[in-house]
Amino acid sequence: MNYQLDNVKIYSNSINELEQYLTNILRENNSNQIVTFNLDFYRNTKSNDEFRYICEKADLILPDGAGITSLIKLKFGVTLQRITGHDLFILLLKIANEKNLKIALVGSTEE
C-alpha cells in the first residue's frame, strides 16, 4: 500500500521488498524514475508545478527523511521505514554486484 501526500504516492513497503522490486526492474532492463522524497521536496511540490508533476509521475517515491515518515505517521497513523538516497545507492550497488551489472556514475565536477 502507498500513502498519498496530495497526489504524491509514498512507498510504504520494507527495504527488503524494495530490493526485490529493484532486482525485477533491473532484470527487465526497464527505465524507472525513483525519487527520494523529503520535506523540502514536499514543500516544493506545493509551489513548483513542474516539480510536482515529476514527483506525481515518478515510478517510485521513497520516504527519505524523518520529516516525511513523521508526517505520514501523523496523517495516517502508520510508521514507514525511512529509505534514504544512501540506502537506495547501497542497495543498487549490491544488486549490481550480485547480477554482474555495470554501473556508471556521473558527477558535476571533475573531482
Side-chain angles (χ1 to χ4, degrees):
M1 167 158 210
N2 291 319
Y3 294 92
Q4 279 193 217
L5 296 175
D6 299 326
N7 287 330
V8 178
K9 295 175 186 158
I10 309 296
Y11 180 82
S12 63
N13 296 338
S14 71
I15 198 157
N16 292 333
E17 291 166 306
L18 175 61
E19 181 176 358
Q20 185 60 46
Y21 172 83
L22 293 172
T23 300
N24 290 339
I25 64 172
L26 290 172
R27 183 180 307 130
E28 296 168 5
N29 212 11
N30 289 336
S31 175
N32 282 260
Q33 182 181 16
I34 300 172
V35 175
T36 54
F37 201 73
N38 58 35
L39 278 182
D40 190 47
F41 279 27
Y42 183 53
R43 182 186 56 78
N44 280 315
T45 64
K46 300 289 191 186
S47 59
N48 184 325
D49 293 340
E50 185 176 355
F51 186 73
R52 181 178 58 250
Y53 178 80
I54 289 167
C55 290
E56 288 174 355
K57 298 303 178 191
D59 297 293
L60 191 62
I61 305 281
L62 300 177
D64 180 1
I68 286 296
T69 57
S70 295
L71 182 58
I72 295 289
K73 184 167 179 90
L74 287 171
K75 188 168 182 174
F76 299 103
V78 174
T79 301
L80 297 185
Q81 181 177 2
R82 180 178 173 223
I83 303 173
T84 66
H86 178 264
D87 297 331
L88 175 63
F89 184 68
I90 297 299
L91 193 54
L92 287 170
L93 289 176
K94 176 184 175 210
I95 294 167
N97 187 49
E98 291 170 354
K99 304 295 181 194
N100 199 28
L101 301 172
K102 294 180 181 177
I103 294 193
L105 301 175
V106 180
S108 61
T109 67
E110 289 183 21
E111 292 85 31

